[in-house]
Amino acid sequence: MVKLIHTRSLVSSGSAALLLASGSAMAHSGHGPLESGVFSSFVSGITHPITGLDHLVMLVGVGLIAAQYKQRHQQVRIVLAALFSMLLGLGFGALSGFATGIETMILASVFVASVAVYSRQRAGSNSWSVVLSVLAVVAVMFHGWAHGLEASASGLAAFAPGMLVGAGLLAMSGYKLGQYLNPKWQSALLAMSGTLLALAS
C-alpha cells in the first residue's frame, strides 16, 4: 500500500513537472524546415507533437478528458475523434495556407480542455460537460492545422501517419496520468500550463 502511494506520488509529481515545464515554450520553437524525404517526414510527424509543447499539453489534456469517462468505448471514442480532428486540421492547413489566428486558437484550446476536465470532475455526465469535451476534441483541429502549415507538401503523406502516432502516444500518456494524478490537480495543471504558454508567446 505504501509502495502504491509512493508510485502515485511520483507519477503525479512527474506529470505536474512535465505540464508546467511545457508552458515555458511554444509549439514551434526549435523546429527547422520539415524535410521532404519519406522517412524523415514520418519521423518529423512523430516528433512534432511531442516536441511542440503546446501540442503536448493539449494532447495530454485529451487523454485526461478520456480518463474522466468510465466506459472504455467512450474513452476510445474521445481519443480517436481527437486524432481525426487533428488529421482534418492538417489537411486544412496544408491546403489553405491560412495562418491568421491559428496560434491564438491553439492557446485557447488548452483552456477549453482545462474547463472540460474540471466540468467532468464536478458535474459528471451532464450535457454541459459533454459539450465541453466535444469542443476540446474539435479544438485539436487547430493543432493539426499548424502542422499542415509547416509540413512540406511532398512529405505530407508520410508526415500525417507519423503525426497520428505521436499524437496518439501523448493522448494515451494523458489517459494513464489521469488514472494516477489527483483529479483536483488535472484541470489546474492544464490551466497553469496554458497561462505559461500564453506568457511565453
Side-chain angles (χ1 to χ4, degrees):
M1 183 65 178
V2 174
K3 184 177 180 180
L4 178 59
I5 293 174
H6 179 64
T7 300
R8 291 192 173 189
S9 176
L10 287 176
V11 172
S12 298
S13 300
S15 60
L18 176 65
L19 288 175
L20 289 175
S22 68
S24 63
M26 288 297 291
H28 312 297
S29 58
H31 287 291
L34 300 179
E35 299 178 31
S36 59
V38 173
F39 179 74
S40 61
S41 294
F42 179 75
V43 172
S44 293
I46 295 175
T47 59
H48 204 75
I50 297 173
T51 57
L53 297 176
D54 47 3
H55 305 318
L56 183 151
V57 172
M58 182 59 185
L59 291 165
V60 168
V62 166
L64 292 175
I65 293 172
Q68 304 300 314
Y69 287 78
K70 295 181 179 180
Q71 298 297 322
R72 179 56 61 88
H73 73 276
Q74 293 175 316
Q75 298 167 348
V76 172
R77 189 179 301 168
I78 289 289
V79 174
L80 290 181
L83 294 179
F84 180 70
S85 180
M86 194 172 193
L87 186 61
L88 280 179
L90 178 72
F92 288 146
L95 291 173
S96 71
F98 182 79
T100 304
I102 298 301
E103 291 294 345
T104 300
M105 297 303 296
I106 286 174
L107 281 173
S109 71
V110 175
F111 293 101
V112 172
S114 173
V115 176
V117 171
Y118 178 80
S119 176
R120 189 74 190 179
Q121 292 165 355
R122 295 297 299 270
S125 183
N126 63 12
S127 57
W128 179 238
S129 68
V130 172
V131 168
L132 286 170
S133 295
V134 171
L135 285 176
V137 167
V138 172
V140 176
M141 178 182 65
F142 297 105
H143 295 259
W145 196 303
H147 293 325
L149 292 172
E150 296 187 351
S152 64
S154 59
L156 196 63
F159 181 86
M163 180 194 72
L164 293 178
V165 169
L169 289 173
L170 289 174
M172 293 309 299
S173 297
Y175 170 76
K176 287 296 184 181
L177 289 176
Q179 296 179 320
Y180 289 100
L181 188 62
N182 191 314
K184 70 180 182 180
W185 289 108
Q186 294 177 21
S187 58
L189 285 172
L190 286 173
M192 285 188 287
S193 295
T195 300
L196 292 173
L197 284 166
L199 292 174
S201 62

